[in-house]
Amino acid sequence: MNDIRNFCIIAHIDHGKSTLADRILELTGAVDSRDMQNQLLDSMDLERERGITIKLQAVNMLYKASNGQSYRLNLIDTPGHVDFSYEVSRSLAACEGALLVIDAAQGIEAQTLANVYLALEDNLTIIPVINKIDLPGADPERVKKQLEEEIGIDASEALLISAKVGTGIKEVLEAVVKRIPAPQSTGSHPLRALIFDSHYDSYRGVIAYIRVVDGEVRAGEKIAMMSTGDKFEVSEVGVFTPKMERTDSLKAGEVGYLITGVKEIKNMRVGDTITHAAQPAEHPLPGYRQATPMVFCGLYPTEGPDYEVLKDALEKLQLNDASLIYEPETSVALGFGFRCGFLGLLHMEIIQERLEREYELSLIATAPGVAYRVNMADGSVNLVENPSLMPAAKERKSIEEPYVRATIHAPDDYIGNIMEITRSRRGIFKDMQYGSDGKRVTLVYEIPLAEILYDFFDQLKSRTRGYASFDYEFIGYQESDLVKLDILVNTEQVDALSMIVHKDSAYYRGRQIVAKLRKLLPRKQFAIPLQAAIGFKIIARETISALRKDVLSKCYGGDISRKRKLLEKQREGKKRMKQLGNVEIPQEAFLAVLQLDDSKRK
Amino acid sequence: MTTGGIYIHVPFCRSKCHYCSFYSVVSSDKLVELYFDNLVKEMNIAAKKFPLQASTLYFGGGTPSLLSSDQINRIIDVANDCFGLKKDAEITVEANPETVSLSNAQHWQQAGVNRVSIGVQATGQRLLNILGRRHSAQQADEAVNRVLQAGIKNINVDLMYGLPAQQPEDWEQTLQFCLDWPVTHISAYPLQVEENTRMKEMIDAGLVTINDDSIIEMMLMTPKILEKKGFRHYEISNFSQEGYICQHNLVYWQLVPYLGLGPAAASYYAGIRWSNDVDLDMWSKNIMDQRANIDYDSQKNEIRMAEFCFLSLRLLQNGISKAEFKNKFGLAVDSIYHQQLQELSMAGWIVDKGDRICLTEIAIPWANQIFMMFLPENE
C-alpha cells in the first residue's frame, strides 16, 4: 500500500499539463517513446486538435525512485477549463495529491485558482510546478511570489521545469513519491470504490473507472451499487497502463477499471459507490460536486431520420460525460430534437463538435440559453430552461436569472473597452486590481450568465486585441426585469426562436430578428407575416410578400364567382404548402437569427 | 320589387391590350348590329324572369364607347322600359380615351348617362406602349375635358400600377397628372399578369420584368397621395370624392342583386350567381335557350357566408357588419370564423371595431390571403 501514489495535474489551459503528462509517461516507460504521440492522455482527436483536455483519463505507471524503491503511480488527468470543474472535482476525489502547473511567463490565472481551491477543500497535497522556464518571458520568481500571495502556499519548494524540453521531470516524480501521502491502508474494511468516470465499449459494455477506497475487489465477485442496490457480477478488473491491463484484483488505494457486462450507464452512475453484495459497507463514499448544467440549447438533426442517430449518440456521450443532460423536444420548425444542458459554453461547443465529428451528424443548435427561476403567482417556484415553456405573464410573479462573477484579465490599456462591453451587457462592476507588474489589471463583474452567451468572449477578444482572458463562476440567481420574446411566422409561434430577454432590449431584439428573417425566408404563393411579440403585444412586424400572384385582380363586371374560384385555387396552393410543413424555415435562416450577433450593440 | 344593378357587357375592342385575357372581338357594324338585337332580346327575357328595379346601369367592356351614341341611347330606353330605371339611377359608360369625342359625350349626356369611366391606365408613353394602349396621355386629357364640357361631372379614371419597368416615382407622377383633373373617382388596380396574354409572353421572354416589392410600395403610397386631395379610400382599389362612391360597385360588394347582360356578363339574383356564355355566337344562341352557367356552389351557406365576409371587407370603412351577418345567417360571425378572425387579428390584418370588423391599412397588399381564409376547406 505504501508504494501507491494517486495524483492529478491542475493547470490552466495552455500551461502545459498534457505535455508534462506525456513526459511522465515517457520517463516511467509506460509508453514506449516510439509510440509516443503528443498529448497521449488526450485521446480524443478533438482534444489534441484544440490542445485541451475534455475527458479525464487515468493511467497507472511503475516508477523506480532514487531511493531504490518502486512505486505505482496513478495519474488522473483533469480538464483545465472552468466548464469542466465538475470533472476536476471527480479527479480530485480519487487522488491524494495534485501537481499545480503554472506557466512561468503567464503566472496564475483565475481558473487555476478555482481548481486549487477545489483541491484544498479535498485536503490534497499540492506540489507547485512552474513550467516553461525555458521561455524568454519566464519569470519564476514573480510566479513564486504570486503563489505565496494569492494561494498562500509555500513556494520555496516549487519545482522549476520545462516539460517541453524535458528538464526537471524526474524531480517532479521524486516529489510525487516523497510529498504525496500514500493512500490510507484500509484493505480489510468492507469494499468501497468510487466510480469517478466511465466509458462505453460496444463489445464489453460499461467500463467503470474506479478508485478503491476500502477493501478489495476481484473478478467473479458479486457487487452492489450503493445508491440503487442493483447487483452485478464483476467480469474483469484491471489498471490503465494507459492501455487497459487485466489484474487479479484492485485493492484499497488503487485506481483502475471494473467491467460487469452492464450495458446501460445509468446502472453504473458516475459518483456512485461500489460495495460487495454479500458484505456491504455501511455508508457510501461522499460524492463530489454535482454537475449543474448552466447553459442550455436545443439540438436538432438537419435530416429528420437522423433523430435516432442523434439519440443514440447522446446516450453514448452521456456514458462518458454524466454532466451532459438531455431530453426530447419537438419544435414545429425543426422537428424532433433534444433540449440539452451543458456545464458552459465550451462544453456545449465540444459536445456539438463531437456529435458532428464522431457521429457524422449535421446539427442545428438553437440559441443558447440559461435556466430561469420563475416565482409563480401561487408561490411555487419553477425552473424554466426552455423559453417556449415560460409560464404566461399573469401566472408568474417574477423571474430570476443566473448571475456569474466574471473575472477579466487584460492590460490596462483596454479598461475602457472592457467596461463598455460589460456595461452593454448589464454587468455590475465589483472590483478592479492591478497585478504585481502594475500593467495587467483584473476586473471583476457580476453579470447575467445569459449576457455572456452571445459572442461575449469574441467581443472581448476583438476589443482587447486578443489580450484579455476571461473566467466566470456561477454566483446565484437574481431577479431581473425579463420578458419572453416570441417570434411568429405566418402567425404561428416558432418555439425555437423564442427567447427570454431583458425588457429594455426586447424591442431592439424583436425588430432585428424579424427584419433578418424577412430577408432570409423564401417567398411563397402567399404572403407571410413575421412578428415579434411579448405576450399578445406585437412589438415588431414585417411581411414577406407573396410570389407575384397575390395582388388583387379587378373584378370585371362583378364576376364574383370567378374571383372566388381564383381564391379557392390560391387557397388550395396554400393548403398544400401547409401540408408540406407550412412555412419551412431554412436552416440558414435559423442559424443567421440564432447567430444574431450583438456587434451593433455597442 | 327588388332593386339592383344592371350590367351591360360590350365585348368589342379595336385591338387587344397586352394585359387583357378577356373575350373581345374586333368590332364591325354587322357584329355590333347582331349584338344589339340580341341584347335587347335578352333584356326583355331577363325582365320577365328576374324582375328588378334598377338603381344603377353600367356599360362595361370591352369598349362600350365603340357603340354608337344612338345605340347607347336605345339601350338605356329599353333598360328603362324593362327595369324601370330609378329617377336618380347612376348610369355609367366605360370609355377609352381615343373614343371620346365631344359629340359622343354630349349624346351620352342627353341619353341620361351621368357618369363616365375613362380607361387612362397610365400616363407615360413608354408604359402605355407596354400595355398596348392606343391612346396617349394627351388624348386622355382631351377625353376628360370633353366629358366635362358635355356636362358630365361624375368622372372616374381607371389606372394600373405594378407595370413592367414602372418605378414608384412614375406611379406618383401618373397620380399627380390625374389629380389635376376635377375627377370624382379613381380606380387603381395592380396589373394582373394573366395566362395567354401578350404581357405574359413578354415577361416569359424576359423582355420586361416586374418588381414585386415595388408593387407593394405603390399600393401603399396610393392612398397617401390621393387622400391629400380629398379622396377617400373606400374600397381596396377605389377612391372617391365625398358623395361619389360608385353605386354600381357597391351593388357587387353589398350582395345587392344585379343582372349581367351580354356575353360573359355575370349575374346575382335571388342568392344565385351565374354567368352568360363568353363567346358572342354562343351567347346569341343561348339567349333563346336560357342556358346560363349557374354557380351552384354560391348557394351553399358556407360559401355565402365567406362571400359576405370577403366582399364586405373590401369596403374598408364598412367592413363586416356583425349585426348584418347575424341577421343574414342567424349566427354570430365571431363564432363561425373564430379561428380565422383570431389569427388575422394576431397578424394585425384586421381590427375589431365592436360592431364591425375591418381590414387594416397594412393588410391591403395581402387582402387575397385574408379573403381565402373565409372559404371552406375543400376536402
Side-chain angles (χ1 to χ4, degrees), chain A residues 123-149:
Chain A
N123 290 320
L124 264 58
T125 300
I126 292 170
I127 302 172
V129 177
I130 300 170
N131 190 20
K132 306 194 185 179
I133 51 163
D134 58 310
L135 286 188
D139 187 356
E141 287 313 308
R142 185 173 65 87
V143 177
K144 280 187 185 173
K145 208 171 131 203
Q146 260 191 317
L147 272 171
E148 293 189 336
E149 281 173 6

Short mmCIF file of all heavy atoms in Angstrom, two decimals, chain A residues 123-149:
data_model
loop_
_atom_site.label_atom_id
_atom_site.label_comp_id
_atom_site.label_asym_id
_atom_site.label_seq_id
_atom_site.Cartn_x
_atom_site.Cartn_y
_atom_site.Cartn_z
N ASN A 123 -8.44 18.44 0.82
CA ASN A 123 -7.24 18.12 1.60
C ASN A 123 -6.15 17.44 0.79
O ASN A 123 -5.46 16.56 1.28
CB ASN A 123 -7.59 17.24 2.81
CG ASN A 123 -8.35 18.04 3.84
OD1 ASN A 123 -8.04 19.21 4.08
ND2 ASN A 123 -9.38 17.43 4.41
N LEU A 124 -6.02 17.80 -0.46
CA LEU A 124 -4.97 17.23 -1.29
C LEU A 124 -3.65 17.95 -1.03
O LEU A 124 -3.63 19.14 -0.75
CB LEU A 124 -5.33 17.38 -2.78
CG LEU A 124 -6.00 16.16 -3.43
CD1 LEU A 124 -7.27 15.79 -2.69
CD2 LEU A 124 -6.29 16.45 -4.89
N THR A 125 -2.58 17.19 -1.14
CA THR A 125 -1.26 17.80 -1.07
C THR A 125 -0.97 18.45 -2.41
O THR A 125 -1.17 17.82 -3.46
CB THR A 125 -0.20 16.71 -0.80
OG1 THR A 125 -0.53 16.08 0.43
CG2 THR A 125 1.20 17.31 -0.74
N ILE A 126 -0.53 19.70 -2.34
CA ILE A 126 -0.31 20.40 -3.61
C ILE A 126 1.18 20.64 -3.84
O ILE A 126 1.88 21.16 -2.97
CB ILE A 126 -1.08 21.72 -3.63
CG1 ILE A 126 -2.57 21.39 -3.67
CG2 ILE A 126 -0.69 22.58 -4.82
CD1 ILE A 126 -3.46 22.55 -3.45
N ILE A 127 1.63 20.22 -5.02
CA ILE A 127 3.03 20.45 -5.37
C ILE A 127 3.07 21.49 -6.49
O ILE A 127 2.64 21.21 -7.62
CB ILE A 127 3.71 19.16 -5.86
CG1 ILE A 127 3.61 18.08 -4.77
CG2 ILE A 127 5.15 19.42 -6.27
CD1 ILE A 127 4.08 16.71 -5.22
N PRO A 128 3.56 22.68 -6.21
CA PRO A 128 3.62 23.70 -7.27
C PRO A 128 4.71 23.37 -8.28
O PRO A 128 5.83 23.05 -7.89
CB PRO A 128 3.94 25.01 -6.54
CG PRO A 128 3.99 24.68 -5.09
CD PRO A 128 4.06 23.20 -4.92
N VAL A 129 4.37 23.43 -9.56
CA VAL A 129 5.33 23.16 -10.63
C VAL A 129 5.30 24.35 -11.58
O VAL A 129 4.27 24.65 -12.16
CB VAL A 129 4.96 21.87 -11.39
CG1 VAL A 129 5.92 21.65 -12.55
CG2 VAL A 129 4.95 20.67 -10.46
N ILE A 130 6.43 25.03 -11.68
CA ILE A 130 6.48 26.18 -12.59
C ILE A 130 7.08 25.71 -13.91
O ILE A 130 8.24 25.30 -13.97
CB ILE A 130 7.27 27.35 -11.96
CG1 ILE A 130 6.56 27.76 -10.66
CG2 ILE A 130 7.37 28.52 -12.94
CD1 ILE A 130 7.34 28.74 -9.81
N ASN A 131 6.27 25.76 -14.93
CA ASN A 131 6.61 25.16 -16.22
C ASN A 131 7.07 26.24 -17.21
O ASN A 131 6.88 27.43 -16.97
CB ASN A 131 5.39 24.42 -16.76
CG ASN A 131 5.72 23.57 -17.97
OD1 ASN A 131 6.88 23.22 -18.21
ND2 ASN A 131 4.70 23.24 -18.75
N LYS A 132 7.63 25.80 -18.29
CA LYS A 132 8.05 26.68 -19.39
C LYS A 132 9.13 27.67 -18.95
O LYS A 132 9.13 28.82 -19.38
CB LYS A 132 6.85 27.45 -19.97
CG LYS A 132 5.69 26.56 -20.41
CD LYS A 132 4.70 27.31 -21.26
CE LYS A 132 3.50 26.44 -21.58
NZ LYS A 132 2.50 27.11 -22.40
N ILE A 133 10.06 27.20 -18.09
CA ILE A 133 11.11 28.11 -17.64
C ILE A 133 12.10 28.41 -18.75
O ILE A 133 12.92 29.31 -18.64
CB ILE A 133 11.87 27.56 -16.41
CG1 ILE A 133 12.34 26.13 -16.68
CG2 ILE A 133 11.00 27.60 -15.16
CD1 ILE A 133 13.41 25.66 -15.73
N ASP A 134 11.98 27.64 -19.83
CA ASP A 134 12.90 27.88 -20.95
C ASP A 134 12.44 29.06 -21.81
O ASP A 134 13.20 29.57 -22.62
CB ASP A 134 12.98 26.63 -21.83
CG ASP A 134 11.62 26.22 -22.36
OD1 ASP A 134 10.67 26.12 -21.56
OD2 ASP A 134 11.51 26.02 -23.59
N LEU A 135 11.22 29.50 -21.62
CA LEU A 135 10.70 30.59 -22.45
C LEU A 135 11.37 31.91 -22.11
O LEU A 135 11.71 32.15 -20.96
CB LEU A 135 9.19 30.73 -22.27
CG LEU A 135 8.30 29.68 -22.91
CD1 LEU A 135 6.85 30.10 -22.79
CD2 LEU A 135 8.67 29.47 -24.38
N PRO A 136 11.56 32.79 -23.12
CA PRO A 136 12.23 34.07 -22.86
C PRO A 136 11.48 34.90 -21.81
O PRO A 136 12.12 35.56 -20.98
CB PRO A 136 12.19 34.78 -24.22
CG PRO A 136 11.67 33.81 -25.21
CD PRO A 136 11.22 32.58 -24.53
N GLY A 137 10.17 34.85 -21.82
CA GLY A 137 9.42 35.71 -20.89
C GLY A 137 9.25 35.10 -19.51
O GLY A 137 8.55 35.66 -18.66
N ALA A 138 9.88 33.97 -19.26
CA ALA A 138 9.68 33.28 -17.99
C ALA A 138 10.15 34.13 -16.81
O ALA A 138 11.20 34.77 -16.87
CB ALA A 138 10.43 31.95 -18.00
N ASP A 139 9.34 34.15 -15.77
CA ASP A 139 9.70 34.92 -14.58
C ASP A 139 9.29 34.11 -13.35
O ASP A 139 8.32 34.42 -12.68
CB ASP A 139 8.98 36.28 -14.62
CG ASP A 139 9.45 37.20 -13.50
OD1 ASP A 139 10.27 36.76 -12.66
OD2 ASP A 139 8.97 38.34 -13.47
N PRO A 140 10.05 33.04 -13.07
CA PRO A 140 9.66 32.12 -12.00
C PRO A 140 9.53 32.82 -10.64
O PRO A 140 8.66 32.46 -9.84
CB PRO A 140 10.79 31.09 -11.97
CG PRO A 140 11.49 31.22 -13.28
CD PRO A 140 11.30 32.62 -13.73
N GLU A 141 10.36 33.82 -10.42
CA GLU A 141 10.33 34.48 -9.11
C GLU A 141 9.00 35.18 -8.87
O GLU A 141 8.42 35.16 -7.80
CB GLU A 141 11.50 35.48 -8.97
CG GLU A 141 12.85 34.80 -8.79
CD GLU A 141 12.81 33.68 -7.74
OE1 GLU A 141 12.34 33.94 -6.60
OE2 GLU A 141 13.22 32.52 -8.06
N ARG A 142 8.50 35.82 -9.96
CA ARG A 142 7.22 36.51 -9.85
C ARG A 142 6.10 35.49 -9.56
O ARG A 142 5.23 35.72 -8.75
CB ARG A 142 6.91 37.25 -11.16
CG ARG A 142 5.66 38.10 -11.09
CD ARG A 142 5.51 38.94 -12.36
NE ARG A 142 5.30 38.13 -13.56
CZ ARG A 142 4.10 37.72 -13.97
NH1 ARG A 142 3.02 38.05 -13.29
NH2 ARG A 142 3.99 36.99 -15.06
N VAL A 143 6.19 34.33 -10.26
CA VAL A 143 5.17 33.31 -10.06
C VAL A 143 5.21 32.80 -8.63
O VAL A 143 4.17 32.59 -8.00
CB VAL A 143 5.35 32.17 -11.08
CG1 VAL A 143 4.33 31.07 -10.84
CG2 VAL A 143 5.24 32.70 -12.51
N LYS A 144 6.40 32.64 -8.12
CA LYS A 144 6.53 32.17 -6.73
C LYS A 144 5.88 33.15 -5.78
O LYS A 144 5.16 32.76 -4.85
CB LYS A 144 8.01 32.02 -6.37
CG LYS A 144 8.64 30.73 -6.89
CD LYS A 144 10.05 30.58 -6.33
CE LYS A 144 10.74 29.37 -6.91
NZ LYS A 144 12.15 29.30 -6.50
N LYS A 145 6.13 34.43 -6.05
CA LYS A 145 5.56 35.46 -5.19
C LYS A 145 4.03 35.38 -5.23
O LYS A 145 3.35 35.44 -4.21
CB LYS A 145 6.03 36.84 -5.69
CG LYS A 145 6.10 37.89 -4.60
CD LYS A 145 6.78 39.15 -5.13
CE LYS A 145 5.96 40.37 -4.80
NZ LYS A 145 6.23 41.50 -5.68
N GLN A 146 3.54 35.20 -6.47
CA GLN A 146 2.09 35.06 -6.66
C GLN A 146 1.53 33.89 -5.87
O GLN A 146 0.50 33.99 -5.22
CB GLN A 146 1.81 34.79 -8.14
CG GLN A 146 1.35 36.00 -8.94
CD GLN A 146 0.85 35.56 -10.30
OE1 GLN A 146 1.46 34.70 -10.95
NE2 GLN A 146 -0.25 36.14 -10.73
N LEU A 147 2.27 32.78 -5.95
CA LEU A 147 1.83 31.56 -5.26
C LEU A 147 1.64 31.83 -3.77
O LEU A 147 0.65 31.41 -3.17
CB LEU A 147 2.88 30.46 -5.43
CG LEU A 147 2.77 29.57 -6.67
CD1 LEU A 147 4.00 28.69 -6.78
CD2 LEU A 147 1.52 28.69 -6.58
N GLU A 148 2.60 32.55 -3.22
CA GLU A 148 2.53 32.79 -1.79
C GLU A 148 1.46 33.81 -1.45
O GLU A 148 0.71 33.64 -0.50
CB GLU A 148 3.91 33.23 -1.27
CG GLU A 148 4.91 32.09 -1.39
CD GLU A 148 6.24 32.36 -0.72
OE1 GLU A 148 6.58 33.54 -0.55
OE2 GLU A 148 6.93 31.37 -0.37
N GLU A 149 1.38 34.85 -2.31
CA GLU A 149 0.42 35.91 -2.02
C GLU A 149 -1.02 35.48 -2.29
O GLU A 149 -1.91 35.78 -1.52
CB GLU A 149 0.74 37.15 -2.86
CG GLU A 149 1.88 37.97 -2.30
CD GLU A 149 2.29 39.10 -3.22
OE1 GLU A 149 1.60 39.31 -4.24
OE2 GLU A 149 3.29 39.76 -2.92
#
